[in-house]
Amino acid sequence: MGGSYGSTLRYKSVERLKPVGKHSLIGASGEISDFQEIMRYLDDLILSDNMWDDGNSLGPKEVHNYLTRVMYNRRNKFNPLWNSLVLGGVKNGQKYLGTVSMIGVHYEDNHVATGFGNHLARPLLRDEWRENLTFEEGVILLEKCMRVLLYRDRSAVNKLQIAKITEEGVTISPPYSLKTFWNFSAFENPTHGAEGSW
Amino acid sequence: MTKQQANWSPYDNNGGTCVAIAGTDYCVIAADTRMSSGYNILTRDYSKIIQLVDTSVLASSGFQADVRALQKVLAAKHLQYQYQHNKQMSCPAMAQLLSNTLYYKRFFPYYAFNVLGGLDREGKGCVFTYDAVGSYERVGYSSQGSGSTLITPFLDNQLKSPGPLLLPARDAVTPLSESEAIDLVKTCFASATERDIYTGDKLEILILNASGTRVEYMELRKD
């Protein structure tokens, strides 16, 4: 939930997870004002979708495709939306998870991440993700990833939200914090041995 | 002390390798399914191949966002062609269309390295190979992408391409059987995967012949 401004931790309660329509959820990283712009585009998209009033609704796959086109077209005009987006959802029993970067690079997978998550979380997920994880197991796994990021990404704050999307809809948890442990012996006297060494 | 400025590149190289081999009555088109960015693997299961027409299959590596946009543009153009001509495009026609589409963006190119494979109107295998701005040539076999430098010399050795200046002009399509060509492709990728960090995970092979299209997969090293 952190929003940095360079090296300053400017905003400490940024909601970076938002529902989109009935079936999807978007998570964003990067420039918050550009994310707010994207939410305006998505609000218009969902509105148009609802105005058809035909019982159909855009699913996560369609929203992801729309976002991909928006990001790519802005990149083509050399005026990118400076975000990395995650798009997940469930529609008609089919689950979907995808991501798109500021230059339009996109893919779907069983687990995705933005920024430092690609370096720190994806390896953990590659090792421990399986088909048919229960929701509770999924939360434990995600919290493990977020904890590692909290320890090792200096722009991270200890305040997060977890969202769940099912056929019934989207729920986003209230903000909470992770338990951390700072008494590892390696953290004690961190400059020990530094003098005289590189 | 100059002002710090955000700098970004509109391009990225998402890696991967593509190969195609033309036979007398078949064509084999293959690509790995790894998508990378720098030293990261983004996903191990992304297809670089698209079947545009029954007789034309495009495999492209390079910048994934451009590859996908290119695939969509070609698919849309093909749909229009079908409406206007009441028939599907032939592989050589698609080859020309791809070249023109790439050159259209000559001054902000699609960072895509393409190999188009298929069957010509006579049912013979054909392979067309491209650079990023649309320069193309019909060949008997080709490789593009991050592993191409490793694969092309091997293919040159195995497929004994006749010199292009020989008279009478000799067919570039290989006399190998379909299964021999498939095995050759598998060998190419197994080798490229060893030494190219951007190639690996899984190999997707499309085989086109008179009976239609078939897909085969092979696991590759994931490191």
Side-chain angles (χ1 to χ4, degrees):
Chain A
M1 293 197 74
S4 303
Y5 186 68
S7 54
T8 303
L9 212 201
R10 178 73 182 82
Y11 302 106
K12 302 201 240 182
S13 294
V14 181
E15 285 184 10
R16 300 202 274 111
L17 293 175
K18 296 279 185 195
V20 178
K22 289 198 282 284
H23 308 282
S24 321
L25 177 103
I26 183 173
S29 176
E31 176 60 51
I32 302 298
S33 61
D34 281 351
F35 176 49
Q36 289 168 347
E37 180 84 345
I38 287 168
M39 286 316 298
R40 285 175 7 94
Y41 285 152
L42 289 174
D43 287 342
D44 284 347
L45 182 73
I46 298 300
L47 181 66
S48 304
D49 189 37
N50 291 339
M51 291 300 276
W52 287 106
D53 200 21
D54 60 358
N56 272 321
S57 52
L58 291 171
K61 210 175 171 57
E62 290 86 65
V63 176
H64 184 223
N65 189 68
Y66 172 79
L67 287 170
T68 301
R69 288 299 114 219
V70 168
M71 302 301 273
Y72 183 70
N73 281 120
R74 287 287 296 258
R75 163 263 185 200
N76 283 349
K77 298 194 285 198
F78 277 89
N79 182 206
L81 288 161
W82 207 281
N83 295 108
S84 289
L85 306 170
V86 166
L87 205 299
V90 179
K91 190 179 171 198
N92 297 334
Q94 299 265 48
K95 54 185 187 212
Y96 185 87
L97 182 61
T99 185
V100 57
S101 79
M102 65 184 254
I103 49 172
V105 172
H106 61 281
Y107 55 96
E108 34 172 310
D109 209 335
N110 297 315
H111 43 79
V112 296
T114 63
F116 267 100
N118 279 308
H119 296 104
L120 299 170
R122 293 297 293 290
L124 289 169
L125 292 164
R126 286 212 176 100
D127 210 21
E128 297 181 37
W129 183 91
R130 334 162 254 114
E131 195 73 56
N132 305 323
L133 276 170
T134 64
F135 175 68
E136 290 71 29
E137 290 170 327
V139 170
I140 290 170
L141 184 51
L142 270 180
E143 285 185 349
K144 184 174 180 177
C145 293
M146 295 305 286
R147 187 172 292 107
V148 170
L149 285 161
L150 180 60
Y151 285 135
R152 291 295 180 176
D153 177 3
R154 68 173 194 171
S155 63
V157 298
N158 195 359
K159 190 169 174 188
L160 70 149
Q161 296 178 293
I162 286 208
K164 176 180 185 180
I165 313 115
T166 58
E167 194 63 52
E168 283 72 59
V170 178
T171 38
I172 305 177
S173 75
Y176 69 102
S177 62
L178 297 169
K179 287 201 181 39
T180 54
F181 182 73
W182 296 96
N183 290 116
F184 289 109
S185 61
F187 292 165
E188 280 161 25
N189 196 13
T191 56
H192 174 73
E195 202 183 302
S197 63
W198 176 77
Chain B
M1 183 77 129
T2 46
K3 187 168 78 172
Q4 194 191 43
Q5 292 184 329
N7 214 345
W8 66 287
S9 168
Y11 293 113
D12 190 12
N13 189 354
N14 302 116
T17 308
C18 307
V19 169
I21 300 178
T24 44
D25 61 350
Y26 66 87
C27 189
V28 175
I29 302 100
D32 68 324
T33 62
R34 173 175 284 182
M35 199 169 120
S36 328
S37 180
Y39 283 115
N40 290 321
I41 294 176
L42 298 177
T43 188
R44 299 188 190 276
D45 199 9
Y46 190 86
S47 176
K48 299 180 188 47
I49 303 180
I50 186 174
Q51 178 147 34
L52 294 163
V53 191
D54 293 346
T55 51
S56 292
V57 171
L58 176 65
S60 326
S61 67
F63 174 44
Q64 185 255 4
D66 272 350
V67 166
R68 190 78 192 97
L70 180 64
Q71 290 175 347
K72 287 183 171 226
V73 165
L74 290 174
K77 293 250 178 79
H78 182 238
L79 198 60
Q80 281 181 312
Y81 181 96
Q82 286 177 92
Y83 289 138
Q84 289 167 358
H85 297 85
N86 199 25
K87 65 177 182 184
Q88 303 214 305
M89 280 177 92
S90 66
C91 195
M94 182 59 80
Q96 185 67 55
L97 178 65
L98 174 54
S99 171
N100 293 153
T101 307
L102 291 168
Y103 198 80
Y104 195 75
K105 273 173 60 75
R106 169 66 178 75
F107 300 111
F108 184 18
Y110 286 112
Y111 192 78
F113 298 100
N114 305 291
V115 183
L116 183 73
L119 304 169
D120 63 17
R121 282 271 193 253
E122 295 163 10
K124 272 206 331 219
C126 55
V127 171
F128 298 91
T129 192
Y130 296 79
D131 72 359
V133 287
S135 160
Y136 82 111
E137 188 190 8
R138 181 171 178 173
V139 289
Y141 61 91
S142 178
S143 172
Q144 290 283 351
S146 58
S148 66
T149 48
L150 298 163
I151 294 175
T152 305
F154 177 61
L155 250 26
D156 286 340
N157 174 261
Q158 296 295 304
L159 297 175
K160 285 192 175 54
S161 173
L165 300 170
L166 282 176
L167 277 175
R170 283 223 254 122
D171 230 350
V173 298
T174 176
L176 284 180
S177 75
E178 190 183 287
S179 51
E180 285 172 326
I182 294 169
D183 273 345
L184 185 60
V185 159
K186 289 179 177 175
T187 308
C188 286
F189 273 88
S191 307
T193 302
E194 292 288 319
R195 293 287 183 170
D196 176 24
I197 61 172
Y198 297 110
T199 303
D201 292 330
K202 200 165 72 174
L203 173 62
E204 184 182 14
I205 311 173
L206 256 72
I207 307 108
L208 264 68
N209 53 31
S211 356
T213 311
R214 203 173 85 243
V215 187
E216 268 189 51
Y217 293 99
M218 183 179 92
E219 292 296 313
L220 295 171
R221 282 181 66 155
K222 293 165 192 351
D223 61 359

